[in-house]
Amino acid sequence: MQKTFSEKILAKYSGKSHVVPGEIVEVIPDIAMSHDNTAAISKTFAKIGVDKLYNPDIHLVVLDHCVPPANEAFAQNHKDIREFVKKHGIKKFYDINNGICHQVMAENGHCLPGTIMTGSDSHSTTYGAFGAFGTGVTRSETAVIMATGKIWFRVPETMRINITGEFQDGVYVKDLALGIIGKIRADGALYMAVEFTGPAAGKFTVSERMTLCNLAVEMGAKVGYVPPDEVIFNYLEGRAAAEYEPVYSDEGCNYDAVVDMNLSELEPVVACPHTVDNVKPVTEVAGETIEQVFVGTCNNSRLDDLAILAHVLKGRHIDSSTRLVVIPASSKVMIDAMRLGYIETIVSAGGTLATPGCGPCMGNHLGVPATGEKTISTANRNFKGRMGNRESEVFLASPHTCAVSAVTGKISDPREIPVDMALIFSELRKATLSPVLMTR
Amino acid sequence: MQTVIKGKVWKYGDDINTDVIFPGKYTYTVNDPAEMGEHAMEDLDPDFAANVQQNDVILAGKNFGCGSSREQAAVCLKVKGVGAIIASTFSRIYFRNGVNVGMPLITNRDAYDHFEHGDSIEIDFEKGEIRGEKGTFKFPPFNEFFFGIIDAGGLIPYTRKRIQEENR
């Protein structure tokens, strides 16, 4: 009987010959990530009544949600985490100087095909970009993994998204992901594993796969997954933190739903307030005045994203009524962006650069909007109050759309200021620290 | 766990996300569960935290609890005494959070179509029934694994119990 990726990997890890959707299994993950919530998790762990971690090598901790700390409470939180990590011998620890958890994990070779990875962060679906079974779990669950190593999963049904065609100018994987969410809605893939396959999916870069799988959770999915191929194997060459064995869906396995997406038919889109599935063509919302542009977050702040921003801003200045906050995904991305001149271009054009981390995405610091203000952002959520002020509005779009909007001070069609993607890709090949492997 | 609870309905719509159930800006500054309760539903219904009573029930449409994995969004309702949440569907992580904090979650569409804000209802977990003036609606009883966790009062007490049993 042909099986899906999720059925195969969950059977393998739970020691069963086969499992079916709906079944509850217990597994030991390869990696259990937690971030600034590790302090709260450690307090829950203490309540279980076990002195030692089941296996400190499963755990990976990144400080990113409010770095450097904005106030005393955040500072104490970080201090508690450093003490916990030291006491329990967690070696995979990344302090405030690294960047956003999902990006840091990818850069350090922790995201591996055919592994099970959990994160106490809903955007842990990102790891599916590397062919891992990556999913967000709760704080208590990470505490239980600390104590017992184990976590329960319901075996998910699977949705296949068949991707064909080629992107037109000004259209990116962000538009594809938002396009899918607009089509199937925020609960369209509820509890499901979503496999992004088809001839076009294999052409996506590492960065593009991460953007796509990161947004799988906004479709309601348990995991996003791109079948790992040479793009991923090349990226992991000399980088993989452990050995790995890819797992693939069997040819002819059962998909509960199949959605076709033709890239050639897509146009630039914007997710409008206050839900990610409120997706409209940019042409419908163009002209809306915005006070802030935010290029950052685990969704879209890698080197390729900053390159597009810099190419739009080169020789231009942002509109005088608009602020542009730019937060690179990681320190490695920031250094590469400096070497390639992107940071100089962005700051000279009026951009405000902040430390790699999550920034204002969930309203902690570094760009919380004022009452009545509108922000267009490369992030993945636009819920009411998300950026820290319930009386503000957030629009989501690609880095290109955000960049052009910064120049005009209004939500704008990215095609107003075209960029030369061939030139950008040739520059990106010079990146040494955060390579974004190009296949197109 | 109590097998039958009685309370009033707090009815909300579709896609109620965790940012309105428990605002993100408090996730690292509010650590006391009781204080979390004071911010429950703050950005959706400012009357909720002040007026909700023990065993009241939240009734919502599809995809309840979508968004962030923050556990506080389940804890804040639990500490305010919410006896159960009934929704047409739950977001995946919220479902996990609910089970793991020992909150009974009931997936049922009919209740949403019939009951209104402020209605008095009764939930019988043993029989799998939601009862009120506007009718009685059935739901499948929790499977053994989930019941074990909810009955123990959540994943942490459940794990503690399991470890003690294994050490015996």
Side-chain angles (χ1 to χ4, degrees), chain A residues 156-168:
Chain A
E157 289 81 13
T158 299
M159 172 186 280
R160 175 171 183 242
I161 301 196
N162 184 39
I163 307 168
T164 56
E166 278 181 29
F167 284 124
Q168 302 297 298

Side-chain angles (χ1 to χ4, degrees), chain A residues 122-416:
Chain A
S122 53
H123 290 109
S124 301
T125 52
T126 309
Y127 318 138
F130 300 87
F133 183 93
T135 192
V137 301
T138 70
R139 291 180 176 188
S140 290
E141 290 172 317
T142 300
V144 170
I145 295 171
M146 285 175 176
T148 68
K150 291 187 193 123
I151 179 144
W152 65 267
F153 284 125
R154 177 188 169 281
V155 179
E157 289 81 13
T158 299
M159 172 186 280
R160 175 171 183 242
I161 301 196
N162 184 39
I163 307 168
T164 56
E166 278 181 29
F167 284 124
Q168 302 297 298
D169 287 347
V171 184
Y172 300 87
V173 77
K174 179 66 155 277
D175 300 294
L176 165 66
L178 292 178
I180 296 168
I181 296 166
K183 186 168 171 170
I184 70 171
R185 308 313 296 249
D187 62 344
L190 199 58
Y191 302 117
M192 292 176 128
V194 176
E195 295 190 10
F196 300 101
T197 62
K203 292 184 193 162
F204 290 154
T205 65
V206 173
S207 176
E208 288 173 321
R209 292 174 197 213
M210 289 176 78
T211 299
L212 188 58
C213 289
N214 180 276
L215 278 163
V217 72
E218 308 305 334
M219 304 166 196
K222 179 185 207 117
V223 300
Y225 168 83
V226 179
D229 55 17
E230 290 305 317
V231 172
I232 296 302
F233 305 146
N234 289 340
Y235 180 83
L236 291 172
E237 185 80 45
R239 184 189 300 272
E243 287 181 7
Y244 62 87
E245 190 184 337
V247 174
Y248 299 95
S249 288
D250 293 328
E251 195 77 39
C253 67
N254 181 52
Y255 292 108
D256 274 64
V258 178
V259 175
D260 289 311
M261 297 298 291
N262 183 349
L263 301 183
S264 312
E265 291 170 359
L266 298 180
E267 55 180 324
V269 292
V270 178
C272 298
H274 294 283
T275 55
V276 187
D277 60 3
N278 186 15
V279 178
K280 295 176 183 166
V282 68
T283 47
E284 254 181 55
V285 273
E288 181 92 54
T289 309
I290 34 123
E291 285 76 29
Q292 179 167 269
V293 178
F294 174 39
V295 175
T297 81
C298 53
N299 194 256
N300 259 148
S301 61
R302 280 173 282 279
L303 194 62
D304 47 340
D305 306 318
L306 300 186
I308 292 167
L309 175 64
H311 275 252
V312 169
L313 294 179
K314 188 94 186 164
R316 296 188 173 86
H317 200 277
I318 63 167
D319 187 77
S320 58
S321 63
T322 303
R323 312 177 300 268
L324 167 65
V325 175
V326 180
I327 306 189
S330 71
S331 300
K332 288 185 165 135
V333 167
M334 186 163 72
I335 293 171
D336 271 336
M338 281 174 175
R339 287 177 181 164
L340 292 170
Y342 300 152
I343 299 294
E344 187 178 340
T345 303
I346 292 166
V347 176
S348 301
T352 304
L353 183 75
T355 319
C358 305
C361 179
M362 80 301 296
N364 282 338
H365 66 159
L366 302 176
V368 174
T371 296
E373 288 190 333
K374 296 191 183 84
T375 298
I376 189 165
S377 154
T378 63
N380 37 32
R381 287 210 175 114
N382 60 350
F383 302 145
K384 199 171 187 123
R386 171 74 183 179
M387 290 186 76
N389 185 337
R390 69 187 298 263
E391 303 302 332
S392 67
E393 292 185 318
V394 183
F395 297 78
L396 307 175
S398 74
H400 193 171
T401 300
C402 288
V404 176
S405 302
V407 171
T408 61
K410 304 181 197 82
I411 294 179
S412 299
D413 192 322
R415 292 164 294 199
E416 282 178 29

Side-chain angles (χ1 to χ4, degrees), chain A residues 94-151:
Chain A
Y94 298 90
D95 213 317
I96 63 164
N97 56 326
N98 286 277
I100 307 174
C101 55
H102 311 304
Q103 176 69 15
V104 169
M105 291 164 77
E107 287 173 354
N108 289 283
H110 296 297
C111 302
L112 299 171
T115 62
I116 294 183
M117 305 176 64
T118 66
S120 278
D121 183 283
S122 53
H123 290 109
S124 301
T125 52
T126 309
Y127 318 138
F130 300 87
F133 183 93
T135 192
V137 301
T138 70
R139 291 180 176 188
S140 290
E141 290 172 317
T142 300
V144 170
I145 295 171
M146 285 175 176
T148 68
K150 291 187 193 123
I151 179 144

